[in-house]
Amino acid sequence: MLARPSISGGPVIVFDVLFRLLRPVYGAEHVTYVRNITDVDDKIIAAQRTSGEPIEAITTPTTKAYEEDMAALGCLRPTLEPRATHHIAEMIAMIAALIERGHAYAAEGHVLFEVATMPGYGRLSGRNTDELLAGARVEVAPYKKGAGDFVLWKPSAADEPGWDSPWGRGRPGWHIECSAMSMSILGETFDIHGGGQDLIFPHHENEIAQSRCAHGTPVMSNVWMHNGFLQVEGEKMSKSLGNFFTINELLRTDRFGGRSWPGEVLRLAMLKTHYRQPIDWTVRALEEAEANLASLKRAVKKHAGITGKISDRVVAKLADDLNTPEAVHTLFSLAGYANGTLQYERGGAPAADNPTQEQAASLLLGSALILGLDLSSKVVELNDAQNQLITARLAARAAKNWAESDRIRDELAAQGIILKDNKDGTTTWEVKR
């Protein structure tokens, strides 16, 4: 049982569903979803050094593009979206507290957390320190007391962004950023912390160590949720294998499967796998999700004027460790009842569990929304100007002018027209209400 739910971090679709689930259960005003933005790290600093632009000039366009992609996936805006550079003071204060409590030390312009001072370090991953270090790339430095000690603050060169601190001009380490932001917004402890399995060590282990030792608390978060790795056609997604795809590429280019994919299709495909299991992106899975989505929409469209209601069965599936595959399966059942193709067994479930076709359609519409799927969108006729844009886009695609093709796609998207490119070269569209 979660009390006064609050969420920090996490893969967006998974935790968007959790956000949608908790709001009607506890009341929207009692649920705080924090999705932080790391806007200072070594890669950003390298880009800043090359371009000569301020950090904000580099990170703002990237953040905007990220938020647009998340919206295309049907994700709600989080309650708060803090940026690391806005919480430097809190980071410095937390580092100072760790030094005062004997858990951190300054050395050669750096401040490091001393892992040996943290009882139970490694408990989240279920391994001891030696096992953790054996499988990790640990920076070797002469100023470290222990091999596993990690950086809380590091010095900045003259041409690098930096902030004044008691230990000299510098910048924070990655781990302290997240601990300080969660503390300043959610408090010393909160309910749910999420992220990928690859973050368990070192990032989440180090967050726990910093936060517990700085505040003297038994936990940082009451619940930890970790999603499975992404795969592409059965292989782990990685740049070295050449099968690394960003959401933006899946939405707006034809790199995967020779076409772009609507955000709602990507979302449904992901929801059909339990969040703790490996999520395998395959062309076949996306095609299947697209067909599934079309059939769900047809079931709703048959019943004009219905109002969406949430099925208790769907809520129960989601309350069971966010079991989205079972929740999606329930949607298919509701679609069958709404279509009249699925019949209830005589003398079976109670009458309350035997809705009419219209009631089933209403439950389908409302329950899909809690999963972030809007089944009310429909195909519409376009005006002359929009038809001309689509014709121009097809010509651009034929000429392999992808920049112009993407520009026209974005222009139509701004008008609420979502394009779908099919394998045979044709294009269909939907309007999002």
Side-chain angles (χ1 to χ4, degrees), residues 18-82:
L18 181 58
F19 186 35
R20 290 171 179 271
L21 171 66
L22 296 178
R23 281 156 49 102
V25 173
Y26 291 96
E29 69 278 12
H30 297 300
V31 183
T32 303
Y33 176 17
V34 179
R35 189 173 73 199
N36 62 39
I37 296 174
T38 300
D39 60 350
V40 55
D41 63 15
D42 290 342
K43 290 182 179 179
I44 293 171
I45 289 172
Q48 185 270 342
R49 188 186 296 115
T50 300
S51 68
E53 297 180 313
I55 281 182
E56 192 167 350
I58 295 170
T59 59
T60 296
T62 305
T63 300
K64 182 176 183 294
Y66 169 78
E67 290 173 344
E68 289 173 351
D69 289 346
M70 296 307 102
L73 292 175
C75 296
L76 300 174
R77 288 296 299 268
T79 313
L80 296 165
E81 199 168 41

Side-chain angles (χ1 to χ4, degrees), residues 207-363:
E207 276 192 81
I208 292 170
Q210 296 163 158
S211 296
R212 287 188 57 198
C213 291
H215 309 312
T217 52
V219 298
M220 176 190 182
S221 175
N222 294 323
V223 175
W224 289 83
M225 298 176 66
H226 294 99
N227 69 291
F229 292 108
L230 290 175
Q231 298 180 165
V232 176
E233 300 291 353
E235 292 187 303
K236 184 178 177 181
M237 184 185 292
S238 72
K239 291 183 178 179
S240 62
L241 293 175
N243 66 349
F244 185 89
F245 299 93
T246 66
I247 290 296
N248 189 276
E249 288 172 329
L250 292 171
L251 288 168
R252 311 187 200 289
T253 74
D254 62 357
R255 277 198 63 209
F256 188 61
R259 55 164 290 190
S260 59
W261 299 93
E264 58 187 356
V265 170
L266 299 176
R267 185 182 184 99
L268 179 56
M270 178 171 283
L271 295 178
K272 290 171 74 175
T273 299
H274 193 276
Y275 77 92
R276 286 190 283 104
Q277 301 301 314
I279 299 171
D280 195 12
W281 291 108
T282 68
V283 173
R284 181 176 180 180
L286 293 180
E287 290 173 342
E288 183 180 90
E290 188 167 47
N292 292 156
L293 195 62
S295 67
L296 293 176
K297 289 184 178 183
R298 285 194 295 270
V300 168
K301 189 176 181 180
K302 289 176 62 176
H303 303 275
I306 59 172
T307 301
K309 297 181 180 180
I310 300 173
S311 163
D312 290 341
R313 291 183 178 182
V314 170
V315 171
K317 300 299 184 184
L318 294 178
D320 181 14
D321 194 19
L322 212 66
N323 195 334
T324 57
E326 286 296 321
V328 169
H329 180 73
T330 302
L331 294 188
F332 295 152
S333 296
L334 288 170
Y337 295 136
N339 288 327
T341 56
L342 189 61
Q343 302 295 325
Y344 297 100
E345 294 182 10
R346 181 177 297 177
D353 288 340
N354 293 319
T356 64
Q357 290 186 29
E358 186 173 279
Q359 288 170 337
S362 176
L363 290 169

Side-chain angles (χ1 to χ4, degrees), residues 47 67 80 87 120 123-124 132 143 145 151 158 164 182 189 195 211 223 298 312 321 344 356 359 368 390 411 421:
E67 290 173 344
L80 296 165
H87 292 268
R123 188 175 298 161
L124 180 68
L132 291 171
Y143 48 77
K145 291 183 179 181
V151 171
D164 292 332
S182 64
T189 63
S211 296
V223 175
R298 285 194 295 270
D312 290 341
D321 194 19
Y344 297 100
T356 64
Q359 288 170 337
I390 289 181
E411 182 178 344
D421 298 314

